Amino acid sequence: MKSKFLFILVLFALISCKDQTGEYVCKPCDLPCDELTFNESGICPHCKMNLIKKSDLLPEKELILNEINIQDGSGKFLIDGGFQEEKQIIIHYYKPKNLKSESPTVIVLPGAGRNGDEYRDAWIEKAEKYNVLVLSPEYSERYYPEFWSYNLAGMITDVEINDERTAMTDFKISKNPNKWIYNDFDRIFNLTKEKLNLKTDTYDLFGHSAGGQILHRLAIFKSDNKANRILSSNSGWYTVPTDRENFPTGLKDSYLLEKEIDFSKNLVLFLGEKDDANETRGDLRHSPEVDKQGLHRLERGTYFYNESKKIASELNSEFNWKLEIIPNIGHDYREISKAAANYLYELKK
């Protein structure tokens, strides 16, 4: 009781003398520290949440389209959808205090929740440690309403699903690459590079769950990108680069053949060891076509890697894809994000 009383006294003292001009706040947490502002980024000393810029709390309607203002710490900006100009994408960013022109950039793709702000936050500690610029796109359901407009990057249209919403019964394949979101990542990097005068010519990609689905398909369908390393993490299911299975679980009827796949890209299947049959987090799709890949994410990711390696070998193609199984991690985007940051940047610190 005494400690609680002292805590309240300290908070009221801080609130009474707080600097209203401070740029940073904690995310709303229904505690008195919601009223505090801070002059520097860091951790709220009371609720222990990451501090963010006041501007990061602005609703989308108050952001100015294509006005990119990146300052130290957390924030966000709004860009158009590129070739799909009628759409918009929020970019949540974290810029470490000591970012240099030669520092690396990572684009982080969230899962099905499209919660780019929380995925960005999961990288803040490592971003400061390794001096990495973090950009996390939020593909809101307002502009990308169904899973196929995100997980499948807009590669299918006119989708019909069964009454139980467990399977697609009919759809059309969009063979116009300008309609796919794969084009956004180079563009996001280029816009940021120009704004911050970065000297790097490449960036890294990390995607978890639905974000991982996007990235393994990026390596297949748009290998001509500026990404250096692509970490596809804990995907629910895969498009296997084979002509023997129909799209989207294979290539048949898509515009690409397996002999046209560039297996030389640095794609890493970054899987949690415990994302197995005992994992209950996240929705996992089941159908005869998908269950052929395995009954859980670890099995499916391993299947995808092994089948891809076999196909590349049959084609005598250079194969640079890798499989990394991370111990003691399940379908946890925060923990797998930390592991991904260490994997990408620990030797570069």
Side-chain angles (χ1 to χ4, degrees), residues 156-162 167-172:
I156 62 175
T157 62
D158 301 330
V159 179
E160 296 180 10
I161 55 177
N162 60 13
M168 297 180 293
T169 58
D170 194 21
F171 56 85
K172 293 180 182 178

Side-chain angles (χ1 to χ4, degrees), residues 235-292:
S235 298
W237 57 283
Y238 294 81
T239 297
V240 180
T242 174
D243 300 335
R244 295 183 290 275
E245 294 187 34
N246 293 327
F247 186 81
T249 54
L251 299 178
K252 188 176 180 181
D253 294 330
S254 76
Y255 85 104
L256 201 62
L257 299 174
E258 62 182 39
K259 66 181 181 181
E260 299 171 309
I261 301 296
D262 181 3
F263 291 101
S264 67
K265 200 69 179 178
N266 291 324
L267 173 66
V268 181
L269 281 302
F270 204 71
L271 310 179
E273 177 191 37
K274 292 187 176 181
D275 206 351
D276 56 18
N278 296 314
E279 179 59 271
T280 59
R281 287 170 289 190
D283 294 327
L284 192 61
R285 179 183 171 194
H286 288 284
S287 71
E289 297 82 8
V290 170
D291 287 348
K292 181 179 178 180

